[in-house]
Amino acid sequence: MKRKLVIFASGSGSNAEKIIEYLSNHPTLEISCVLSNKSDAYVLERVRELGVESYYFPKSDFDLGIPIVDFLQNRGIEGIILAGFLLKVSQPILQAFPQKIINIHPALLPKYGGKGMYGHFVHEAVKAAGERESGITIHYVNEHYDEGNIIFQAKCSLDADDGPEEIARKVQKLEHTYFPRVVEKVFGK
């Protein structure tokens, strides 16, 4: 029997798509469904085209946590992957899935993490600081933004003339390459 995983996402879903494709024929893991807090998030359409169920839950359900926990437990979900999910994970969800929730962050934590540091905000901060490298951090989720134990990091070099868009492109390439493999390693045990 395969271990069922869920992806939480708020945006376009390119990482969700890469993970679903990577695990599509996996012998022990499957993405059971994708949940979003945004009814118009492109990820919902993107994953439906891949044959994966997707569901919208309002922010209030994620904040309360119990409706989400009930939904996930009724489906036999064993792990949660945050892929561009912009809400803080509530205490009931954390308690129901201890050390079974992972997130990807588009920078080398502990730098450029915390509330409000996502997407282009991260890349703009990296550029403004004159960093010569950036990358990704995959970490366990706890009660604080971007402070859970680090599982994996990958770096990319930055050129002085790289703008935030180029930084984003380089970082996204790392995300698409490594995130599915790390998901497999963490949950395939």
Side-chain angles (χ1 to χ4, degrees), residues 6 8 33 35 57-80 85 88-98 100-101:
V6 65
F8 290 3
C33 59
L35 274 55
F57 283 88
K59 180 182 182 298
S60 58
D61 283 356
F62 282 101
D63 290 344
L64 288 171
I66 300 302
I68 304 298
V69 170
D70 289 346
F71 177 84
L72 298 178
Q73 289 178 338
N74 287 336
R75 292 184 68 96
I77 300 297
E78 296 184 50
I80 301 171
F85 186 67
K88 190 172 185 181
V89 177
S90 64
Q91 216 38 47
I93 300 171
L94 289 171
Q95 289 171 351
F97 294 90
K100 293 183 179 175
I101 307 172

Side-chain angles (χ1 to χ4, degrees), residues 123-176:
H123 307 308
E124 288 168 1
V126 167
K127 174 63 178 173
E131 296 284 358
R132 300 304 304 187
E133 66 182 12
S134 190
I136 60 168
T137 303
I138 300 168
H139 63 92
Y140 287 105
V141 175
N142 66 16
E143 63 274 8
H144 304 289
Y145 284 109
D146 302 321
E147 291 185 15
N149 290 334
I150 293 172
I151 300 166
F152 176 84
Q153 290 186 310
K155 299 176 183 180
C156 58
S157 297
L158 303 179
D159 298 323
D161 59 346
D162 285 348
E165 296 80 17
E166 180 62 17
I167 296 170
R169 188 190 66 72
K170 289 180 176 183
V171 168
Q172 187 176 60
K173 186 174 180 182
L174 293 175
E175 291 173 350
H176 291 172

Side-chain angles (χ1 to χ4, degrees), residues 10 27 37 52 55 63 86 97 99 102 107 146 169 175 178:
S10 300
N37 61 304
V52 174
Y55 300 92
D63 290 344
L86 301 182
F97 294 90
Q99 292 295 102
I102 66 171
D146 302 321
R169 188 190 66 72
E175 291 173 350
Y178 293 106

Side-chain angles (χ1 to χ4, degrees), residues 5-125:
L5 307 176
V6 65
I7 297 174
F8 290 3
S10 300
S12 73
S14 67
N15 277 315
E17 179 179 28
K18 295 297 182 190
I19 293 166
I20 290 165
E21 288 172 348
Y22 185 83
L23 296 178
S24 65
N25 294 308
H26 198 278
T28 61
L29 298 174
E30 73 176 8
I31 301 300
S32 175
C33 59
V34 174
L35 274 55
S36 182
N37 61 304
K38 294 185 180 253
S39 61
D40 61 347
Y42 184 62
V43 66
L44 297 174
E45 181 180 330
R46 186 189 295 252
V47 301
R48 273 193 296 265
E49 291 173 4
L50 294 170
V52 174
E53 295 177 13
S54 61
Y55 300 92
Y56 159 74
F57 283 88
K59 180 182 182 298
S60 58
D61 283 356
F62 282 101
D63 290 344
L64 288 171
I66 300 302
I68 304 298
V69 170
D70 289 346
F71 177 84
L72 298 178
Q73 289 178 338
N74 287 336
R75 292 184 68 96
I77 300 297
E78 296 184 50
I80 301 171
I81 303 154
L82 307 185
F85 186 67
L86 301 182
L87 299 180
K88 190 172 185 181
V89 177
S90 64
Q91 216 38 47
I93 300 171
L94 289 171
Q95 289 171 351
F97 294 90
Q99 292 295 102
K100 293 183 179 175
I101 307 172
I102 66 171
N103 181 45
I104 190 164
H105 186 75
L108 298 170
L109 293 174
K111 290 182 174 183
Y112 311 108
K115 186 172 174 62
M117 290 303 285
Y118 61 90
H120 70 92
F121 297 112
V122 173
H123 307 308
E124 288 168 1

